[in-house]
Amino acid sequence: RAGLQSGAPEPAFRQSLTMPKVRTAPIYTTPQDAATAFYQAFEARDLDAMMATWADDEEIVCVHPGGPRLVGYDAIRNAWEQLFSSDSRLRFRLEQPIAIDTVGLAVQSAIEHVTLADGSPQGLAVATNVFLRTPTGWRLVCHHASPAPTIVVPVPAGPLH
């Protein structure tokens, strides 16, 4: 038992058996739980938390504003990794939410007010998220966000009556 006493260095074979810490995937019990986790992961730029909201499937789809259609887990993960590598921290405020829930599928649509962490406005997006109930809880299968058109309110010219 030489070398295994307290204070002695561990043998090399024991050091190699150290297991990496594994993050247990959360179980989202409602589509809203999954949606909240999605936006929290987006704001935190947490790639692992973001991908935990997605179904682990090759038939998932993501479209970022002005971007191409991404299909499959790996393509979507790579896109989020690139997005999160920037220095910009984004914040979201959702308005006009609409939700349609069924037993196994949920669709949510909202206007995303996007700002930088310092509050500087970055624009609006129209977002649609589709969630599927899986054996491991609700998961995102489609996120589509498009730039929202600017709405110009006309100023009346001349007298009102």
Side-chain angles (χ1 to χ4, degrees), residues 15 103 140:
Q15 292 172 359
V103 172
L140 194 57

Side-chain angles (χ1 to χ4, degrees), residues 24-43:
T24 302
I27 296 175
Y28 303 113
T29 58
T30 67
Q32 188 55 47
D33 289 344
T36 299
F38 170 82
Y39 285 104
Q40 287 173 342
F42 203 150
E43 290 185 354

